[in-house]
Amino acid sequence: MAGRIRDVDIALVRERSPIADVIGEHIQLRNAGGGNLKGLCPFHDEKSPSFNVTPERGMFFCFGCSEGGDVITFVEKIEHLSFAEAVERLAQRAGIQLQYEQGGYVPRRDHGERARLIEAHRAAAEFYADKLMSPDAAPGRRFLSERGFERADAEAFGVGYAPAEWEALSRHLMGRGFTADELVKGGLAKEGRRGPIDRFRGRLIWPIRDATGDVIGFGARKLLDSDEGPKYLNTPDSPLYKKSQVLYGIDLAKREISKRAQAVIVEGYTDVMACHLAGVPTAVATCGTSFGEEHIKILRRFLLDQAEFRGEVIFTFDGDAAGQKAALRAFADEQKFVTQTYVAVQSDGLDPCDLRIKQGDAAVRDLIASREPLFQFAIRSTISRYDLRSNEGKIAALDAAAPIVAGIKDVGLRKRYAIDLDRWLGFMDERFVMQRIAEVSGAQQGRSRRAPKAAPLDPGVRVEGELLKLAVQRPALLGPRFDALDAQAFTAPDHVMLHKIIVAAGGLAAAGHGGREWVDLLLEHAHEEGARGLVTRFAVEPIQADAHAEERYAGAMLAAIEAIAVDRAIAQVKSRIQRLNPVEEQQEYNKLFGELVALEQQRRVLRDRAAGS
C-alpha cells in the first residue's frame, strides 16, 4: 500500500499551484475588485457570474451553489478525483516529486486510475506522432498534404498514425508498464482472444485534449480501402472521455476565446486546423456527436457568457440542406447562450478546410467575418419553405416564424426582427406582424388571455392539430372526408409533415380501425428527421373532447378545416372580382359573383357543423 502524502509536500503543492491559474484553465476569470476574481461557476448552470476566487488566500467560493475550498478541492471536484489523486495531479503539473510517509517515494505507476490513464494516453499520442514519419504512414502524409497541411502543422496539432497492425500500440504501452486492463478501460485497445488488440489500425490520428491540455482520447480517419470501418472513429466513452463533454481544439482555442469573446464551431478536425492556421484561433469542433448542452457549458465558462451581449458564437455549416438543418438545430440551443449567436455558411458548400485549399487563408477569415445572425438565418430559412406569392403562404410563414421572433430575449432586437420579418414577407404592415408576434410572445410567457396555454395561438392551426390527432388515434371517425382534403389544408410544418406520412401510408383508407397496427404503419413511413417522434407525440397527446363526444367532435373538426379551405377560395374570388370592371366585364363579374354567393353559403353550412364541437 502507498503511504500517506507528507503534509509538507501537500503544502508545497498548494504553494506552487496558483489557484487563479489552475481554475483559469477551466473557466475565464475577470477582475471583480478588491483583489478578487469572478467567473461563471463550473459546478452549476448560471446566467450571471457568482463564482469568486481570492488568489491572496488561495480560495474559491460560489455564491450560487455554495461550492468552495482551496485549489486541491477545486481539482477534486472538477476532475472527480480523490484528495490524494488531486494532489498528485497538481504535483505533476508543478513538477513536484511527492514523498510518502509510509514506503517512501511512490512511482507514477502507483498513482490513481485517472492519472494512469492520462499517462497512457500521453504515451500513445507520442507513439502515434512518431509513426507518422514511418514508410507505412505515406497515405496519411499524403492525406494531410492534399489538404494543405505541412509537417510542422501536423506536429503542432500532434497528428499521428496508427500502424496497420493488431497490437503495435498495445505492445508498446505494455512494455512501458501499462496493463491490458488499463488500455481497454481507456479505450486505447479492445479485448482480443489472446490479449488486447489496438482500437485504431491503419488510420490517421488526432489526439483530443481537454481544456488543461491532457490527451483524453483520439479521433481516427480511415485511409485504407481495406478498412471496413466508418470514415471517422473516435475513442469510446471512458473514465477520461465523454464525447458529449469534449470539444476538439479547446486546449488551443480557450485563451483566444476568452481574449476575443468569440468561439467558432466547425464540424471536423481538419476544419479546426484550417481555421487556426488561417488566423481564426477560436475554432473548436465536436467529436463524433452533435453540438449540445454540455458543449455550451464549456464555452460559456470561457466566454464569460453573461447578461450583456459581449461576445459571439459562430456556427459554420455547409450550405446544403443538411447544413441548414444543423444550423436550425443549433438555433434550438441558442437560448442557452446569452452571447450573440451567428451562422457562417459558405454558399458553394465548401467547409473551412476545402475553402482554405481552394481560396487561401483570407477566404477562411472572410467566411467568419461574413457571419449572419442566427436569428436572421433561422427566420429566413423558416419562411423560405413557404410560397410567399399568396396571402395564405405569407400567413403560414408568419405563423411559423413568429415563435422564433417571440423567443428573442432582447426586446429591442425582437422589434427589429419583427420589422425585418414584415419586410421579408412583403406585408408592409408592421403593426399587424408585431401584433401577431406579441400574441405568441404573451402565450410563451404564460400571459396570453386569448386562449388557454395548451391551445395553439392560431385557431386554424389548432384545428389542424386536433384533426391529425384524430387521424392517428381515431381514423374510423374521419373516413374518406379526411383523405379528400387538399394537402394545403395543413400549414404548420409539423402538421404538413404528419399529413405527408399519413398519405404515404395509404391514407385513412389503410387505417382500418386504427390502433397499434395503424401507428406502426405510420412509423414505417416516418423517414424525415424528427418524424417518428412526431407520430409518437400525436399518438399519445389527448384529444380535446370527451370519449362520448368524439364522433361529433370529429365531424366538427372536419367541417372547420373544410371551412378554412372555403375561406381561402372566397378570398381568391373576392380578389379577382376587385380587379374587374363591373360595367365593361359584366359577364365575368356576374359569374364570379355567383361563385362567391355559393361559396359563402357553403361556408355558413360548414361553420354551423363546426359549431357543433
Side-chain angles (χ1 to χ4, degrees):
M1 290 288 294
R4 179 176 176 273
I5 302 172
R6 297 189 307 170
D7 289 342
V8 65
D9 284 354
I10 295 172
L12 184 62
V13 165
R14 285 197 182 97
E15 179 186 332
R16 294 189 184 175
S17 303
I19 193 167
D21 292 349
V22 173
I23 294 178
E25 292 178 348
H26 297 271
I27 66 174
Q28 184 187 168
L29 294 170
R30 287 186 178 162
N31 194 334
N36 292 331
L37 302 170
K38 182 177 284 191
L40 289 172
C41 181
F43 303 120
H44 82 287
D45 201 16
E46 59 179 5
K47 292 295 184 183
S48 56
S50 58
F51 184 88
N52 287 253
V53 179
T54 307
E56 182 183 3
R57 291 183 288 278
M59 302 298 291
F60 75 91
F61 185 81
C62 176
F63 292 93
C65 68
S66 299
E67 291 283 7
D70 63 7
V71 68
I72 298 173
T73 310
F74 179 83
V75 173
E76 280 185 76
K77 294 182 180 299
I78 200 76
E79 302 282 6
H80 305 290
L81 303 176
S82 67
F83 177 84
E85 288 172 335
V87 173
E88 290 167 343
R89 180 110 160 88
L90 289 168
Q92 182 181 336
R93 179 184 181 278
I96 297 170
Q97 189 177 83
L98 296 173
Q99 299 289 326
Y100 293 75
E101 290 183 338
Q102 300 171 15
Y105 170 65
V106 177
R108 285 186 177 175
R109 65 175 177 272
D110 291 331
H111 286 188
E113 177 186 85
R114 179 182 173 86
R116 292 281 296 163
L117 295 180
I118 288 287
E119 290 181 21
H121 278 72
R122 182 186 299 112
E126 293 170 354
F127 173 83
Y128 288 140
D130 181 62
K131 293 299 180 182
L132 185 60
M133 293 300 112
S134 67
D136 291 344
R141 295 194 297 274
R142 185 164 57 251
F143 175 93
L144 292 170
S145 178
E146 289 171 351
R147 284 154 181 77
F149 302 123
E150 301 176 356
R151 179 174 178 176
D153 302 329
E155 291 175 352
F157 287 87
V159 183
Y161 174 74
E165 303 173 28
W166 289 102
E167 303 162 353
L169 176 68
S170 297
R171 283 197 309 270
H172 175 76
L173 293 180
M174 291 175 74
R176 296 274 298 269
F178 296 100
T179 67
D181 182 60
E182 287 173 331
L183 303 189
V184 172
K185 185 171 286 188
L188 296 167
K190 297 184 287 187
E191 291 281 6
R193 292 180 181 177
R194 293 175 292 181
I197 58 174
D198 295 352
R199 179 169 294 276
F200 308 118
R201 301 185 299 277
R203 288 177 172 253
L204 200 60
I205 299 290
W206 280 267
I208 300 169
R209 296 181 170 89
D210 64 14
T212 67
D214 283 333
V215 178
I216 57 174
F218 296 94
R221 209 277 187 188
K222 179 165 68 174
L223 296 171
L224 307 174
D225 293 336
S226 58
D227 188 337
E228 297 180 354
K231 185 176 179 181
Y232 280 94
L233 188 63
N234 292 327
T235 294
D237 280 1
S238 74
L240 297 183
Y241 183 88
K242 300 287 187 294
K243 64 183 178 182
S244 63
Q245 301 172 12
V246 174
L247 285 169
Y248 175 72
I250 191 66
D251 57 310
L252 300 174
K254 64 180 183 182
R255 296 199 185 282
E256 287 297 325
I257 288 174
S258 295
K259 179 180 176 182
R260 303 185 185 202
Q262 178 199 76
V264 175
I265 315 300
V266 298
E267 292 191 328
Y269 306 125
T270 57
D271 292 329
V272 171
M273 293 176 68
C275 283
H276 281 251
L277 295 171
V280 184
T282 56
V284 294
T286 59
C287 300
T289 186
S290 58
F291 188 83
E293 190 167 348
E294 293 300 320
H295 301 120
I296 291 173
K297 290 178 181 178
I298 295 170
L299 289 180
R300 288 190 70 235
R301 295 199 295 264
F302 289 112
L303 287 163
L304 195 57
D305 183 32
Q306 53 183 319
E308 56 270 26
F309 284 86
R310 282 183 178 169
E312 55 186 28
V313 175
I314 304 169
F315 296 91
T316 65
F317 299 104
D318 292 344
D320 57 15
Q324 287 197 7
K325 279 188 177 180
L328 292 175
R329 282 198 301 272
F331 172 78
D333 285 324
E334 191 280 338
Q335 300 297 338
K336 299 185 177 90
F337 283 110
V338 177
T339 293
Q340 296 176 85
T341 47
Y342 297 84
V343 175
V345 178
Q346 183 66 16
S347 58
D348 54 14
L350 296 177
D351 58 32
C353 183
D354 290 335
L355 183 62
R356 179 173 179 260
I357 296 168
K358 295 187 177 182
Q359 299 181 34
D361 290 350
V364 177
R365 296 193 296 272
D366 289 345
L367 169 64
I368 304 306
S370 66
R371 64 201 180 279
E372 177 182 8
L374 187 54
F375 283 125
Q376 177 175 308
F377 181 86
I379 294 167
R380 300 197 74 156
S381 294
T382 297
I383 65 176
S384 70
R385 301 197 298 264
Y386 297 86
D387 181 1
L388 301 184
R389 293 172 296 182
S390 69
N391 286 329
E392 291 76 18
K394 290 178 181 179
I395 289 291
L398 171 57
D399 287 347
I404 299 174
V405 181
I408 298 175
K409 294 184 287 282
D410 183 90
V411 176
L413 199 59
R414 188 189 314 147
K415 182 176 180 180
R416 292 309 310 172
Y417 275 114
I419 294 171
D420 286 341
L421 179 58
D422 173 55
R423 179 165 51 86
W424 294 332
L425 292 175
F427 279 117
M428 310 308 283
D429 188 345
E430 292 176 6
R431 180 177 295 180
F432 169 69
V433 171
M434 286 183 177
Q435 180 180 353
R436 201 88 165 189
I437 292 168
E439 290 169 352
V440 173
S441 180
Q444 288 180 344
Q445 296 174 27
R447 293 184 283 104
S448 175
R449 297 180 182 177
R450 300 192 174 194
K453 289 182 180 180
L457 172 69
D458 189 320
V461 173
R462 186 188 78 84
V463 170
E464 293 174 24
E466 287 301 296
L467 195 62
L468 288 166
K469 281 192 280 184
L470 287 162
V472 175
Q473 299 177 37
R474 302 283 190 274
L477 297 179
L478 301 179
R481 281 177 66 189
F482 180 92
D483 288 346
L485 291 172
D486 193 286
Q488 293 180 344
F490 301 93
T491 57
D494 281 356
H495 298 167
V496 171
M497 182 189 295
L498 184 54
H499 181 253
K500 285 181 180 177
I501 294 169
I502 292 171
V503 171
L508 299 197
H513 293 289
R516 179 58 188 267
E517 293 80 6
W518 172 231
V519 174
D520 287 343
L521 182 60
L522 293 175
L523 290 171
E524 288 176 15
H525 290 82
H527 304 304
E528 294 184 43
E529 182 178 345
R532 292 181 65 84
L534 193 63
V535 172
T536 304
R537 188 184 104 202
F538 276 79
V540 299
E541 189 172 324
I543 294 168
Q544 300 298 310
D546 294 334
H548 64 84
E550 283 182 353
E551 185 172 356
R552 186 160 52 93
Y553 185 70
M557 291 298 102
L558 275 169
I561 204 161
E562 288 167 345
I564 292 170
V566 173
D567 284 340
R568 294 194 187 104
I570 288 172
Q572 290 174 356
V573 172
K574 284 183 175 179
S575 177
R576 290 166 64 189
I577 287 176
Q578 288 171 357
R579 294 196 297 270
L580 293 176
N581 185 316
V583 176
E584 297 176 0
E585 301 169 284
Q586 185 176 5
Q587 185 176 354
E588 180 67 13
Y589 183 89
N590 290 340
K591 177 186 173 185
L592 289 175
F593 189 80
E595 288 183 18
L596 182 60
V597 171
L599 284 169
E600 288 181 336
Q601 174 63 26
Q602 184 183 0
R603 179 169 63 179
R604 279 194 294 273
V605 171
L606 290 170
R607 284 183 172 174
D608 287 341
R609 291 180 186 171
S613 62

